[in-house]
Amino acid sequence: MKNRKNSLGVRLIQLFAAITVPLLSVLFAGGYYAKANVLDQVSRSYQNLVNSNLKMMESSLEDITINLVDIVDHDVNFLQFNRPGLTDSEYYFARMGIMQRNQAYQAYYHSVDMFYLHSSVNDTLTLSNVLGTTEDYMDEVRTWITNRVHNEDYLEPLQYKWTIVKIAGDYYLNRTVSNNLGDPSYIGALIRIDSMRSPLGNLNLQSGGDVLIVDNEGNILTSPSETMGYDFKLPREKLNRNSSFSFSHDGVKLFVVSSQSAALGINLSVVIPDSELLQGLNIFQMIINVLPFFVLIILLVYLYYFRRMVIRPILDLLGGIHRIRKGSMETQLPSSNLLEFQALNQAFNSMVVEIQDLKIDVYEERLNAQKAELKHLQMQINPHFFLNTLNIIFQLADLKRYELVKKTVRHLVRYFRFMLQIKDNSITLGQELEHLRNYLEIQKMRYQQSFDFQITVDEEISGASIPSLIIQPFVENAMLHGISLKTETFNLRISAVQSEEEADIMIIEIADNGKGSSARKLQELNSPDYTPGTEDGHIGIWNVKKRLAMRYQEKADIYFSENEPTGFRVRLILPVEYAEGER
């Protein structure tokens, strides 16, 4: 892992990232800073406009309030209007004088939609005309005013400040002023909130934008545009900041500039979709967004050609070296368009040819040496077994067990016939186990009831090819070191099965219930560097290890362990191989 971190390719990518990431970051940051700066300027412009219009509204409403109070306190007609005992003509002219003054005021300011006048003495209500309204609408207005002036609980909040009220489905600002007499008269003004945004009606807010007046809870008091719908509502927690903010509604991101009037309890807000806000900067936005990717593409193209011209030839060279290290001597590097790499590849190819020739010579010498060593190792086994068998025959003859001597000699003849018939270094697993059966039958004749054995083999692998006499040393060692006539019957079990996990692996196991071995001896036997002494009885084990290493390299394993509950166990793990025509 450490070597890969220090490779040329990784360092090149790190260098590329070190250049590209800061460059793209600067481009993106510059673009978004410019965009944020434009948004800030637009926000300030709209904020100033909204603040100035809201102040104009407050000033206009204050003038209207002053006019209403002046009428109540100083207007001769209003003072006469509330006196009892007036003739019809006197009442009429007093009422008309007040309404004419209000109509003149209404024509001058264009802000009041309706003035109303109510006399408690005569219980009459007079309204100024409202353009564009129906008679039914005016009846609803009359009903609303009459209910208020006849109910002190409803009327009291309307006399001290401008109040938001809803009449006939429309929101109004209402202010009512009275002369506070026993039978008071009332004069009031109604301003449709929709009409209060008319000074900003000429703003070009593009598609989806709108000027809204909302209460402090965010509820819309004006008629929203069709794109917003009637369920549209501004977030209450952001309205008291008197600044701009963004939020999303139905998946559309909106930019809002709002200002709040604490006296009136309303907020004047300009709502613009983000997509329309920077409509005039589309080209600028496109350049900001595209430029970093354009630069990235140029850098990637540069990286591609640099990798193709420099990195790939180096990787090909390293790959060739790795393949040669694994033994693929036919490796050849392709020709390169660059003179330096062309010379390097030609030198590499020439070196490979020379190594291949040298390796063939060395391999032939090593092969001959291995064949000679294998013959020598195999010859070590035959005298060892022969001496053990002669010892058994001697003991049987000494016991005058002549029938068993005959049987032993017969098995010995079969054994030597088998040895003489072996022409190759490999035999089948079935032949090896049958050969062992002859050996164990001889041992059975010697020990009689004190010894028993069992040999089992999977039929699927009985024809598998193994080195000759590879199991014999472990069986001999079990008989030599494990058996004890003082204990229970000595049992020896030999099994050969195909691995359940890997079909191309077989497991050969030799296990007994004998004396076993010490932990130190087991550790010594399992050591990969195990070498017995010259008089060690385990020279056959060393022999097998050497032969397996010469044939299978690292594909075969041998494990030594204790058997449960007592005894010794040997497990050979070998690849399943078949000679031609055996399978």
Side-chain angles (χ1 to χ4, degrees), residues 121-249:
V121 175
N122 300 310
D123 195 21
T124 57
L125 176 65
T126 305
L127 304 178
S128 61
N129 294 326
V130 180
L131 296 176
T133 57
T134 63
E135 191 62 33
D136 292 337
Y137 187 89
M138 294 301 295
D139 288 341
E140 290 190 44
V141 174
R142 290 188 185 92
T143 301
W144 184 88
I145 296 174
T146 302
N147 291 337
R148 294 307 180 273
V149 297
H150 286 164
N151 190 320
E152 291 185 2
D153 294 335
Y154 290 153
L155 183 62
E156 185 176 358
L158 305 178
Q159 298 188 61
Y160 299 103
K161 63 177 183 178
W162 288 95
T163 308
I164 301 172
V165 298
K166 189 174 183 180
I167 306 174
D170 294 325
Y171 287 98
Y172 287 86
L173 279 176
N174 175 84
R175 183 63 190 269
T176 303
V177 181
S178 69
N179 53 9
N180 294 324
L181 299 177
D183 292 320
S185 294
Y186 302 96
I187 186 170
L190 287 171
I191 302 175
R192 185 178 296 171
I193 294 181
D194 242 342
S195 65
M196 297 177 67
R197 58 179 180 171
S198 57
L200 297 176
N202 295 326
L203 283 177
N204 183 15
L205 301 179
Q206 304 298 330
S207 175
D210 204 353
V211 177
L212 302 177
I213 296 178
V214 300
D215 60 17
N216 291 337
E217 298 298 321
N219 300 307
I220 299 178
L221 305 178
T222 57
S223 302
S225 62
E226 295 181 358
T227 56
M228 295 181 183
Y230 287 95
D231 62 337
F232 184 80
K233 185 176 181 179
L234 293 180
R236 178 180 62 84
E237 65 277 4
K238 295 184 179 182
L239 290 175
N240 58 357
R241 299 179 183 176
N242 290 338
S243 62
S244 60
F245 59 88
S246 296
F247 82 108
S248 296
H249 175 74

Side-chain angles (χ1 to χ4, degrees), residues 451-468:
F451 170 65
D452 197 8
F453 70 92
Q454 181 183 7
I455 299 177
T456 58
V457 59
D458 284 352
E459 291 297 329
E460 293 82 358
I461 59 173
S462 62
S465 175
I466 63 171
S468 60

Side-chain angles (χ1 to χ4, degrees), residues 344-362:
L344 184 62
N345 292 353
Q346 289 176 353
F348 178 84
N349 293 336
S350 300
M351 180 188 67
V352 170
V353 173
E354 294 176 3
I355 293 175
Q356 190 171 10
D357 294 339
L358 181 61
K359 188 172 182 179
I360 291 174
D361 296 338
V362 173

Side-chain angles (χ1 to χ4, degrees), residues 518-580:
S518 65
R520 184 186 63 80
K521 192 62 180 179
L522 287 175
Q523 184 178 3
E524 180 182 344
L525 291 173
N526 283 312
S527 172
D529 301 326
Y530 168 70
T531 303
T534 55
E535 298 181 356
D536 194 329
H538 294 96
I539 190 170
I541 295 176
W542 172 80
N543 187 307
V544 172
K545 284 192 171 185
K546 290 285 290 183
R547 295 176 65 197
L548 291 181
M550 291 174 65
R551 173 161 177 168
Y552 297 113
Q553 285 79 44
E554 297 180 356
K555 296 180 181 178
D557 285 311
I558 304 178
Y559 297 102
F560 301 90
S561 63
E562 294 182 354
N563 193 23
E564 295 296 336
T566 60
F568 192 76
R569 183 194 303 268
V570 182
R571 174 174 289 189
L572 286 81
I573 301 176
L574 306 178
V576 178
E577 298 178 350
Y578 293 92
E580 293 185 7

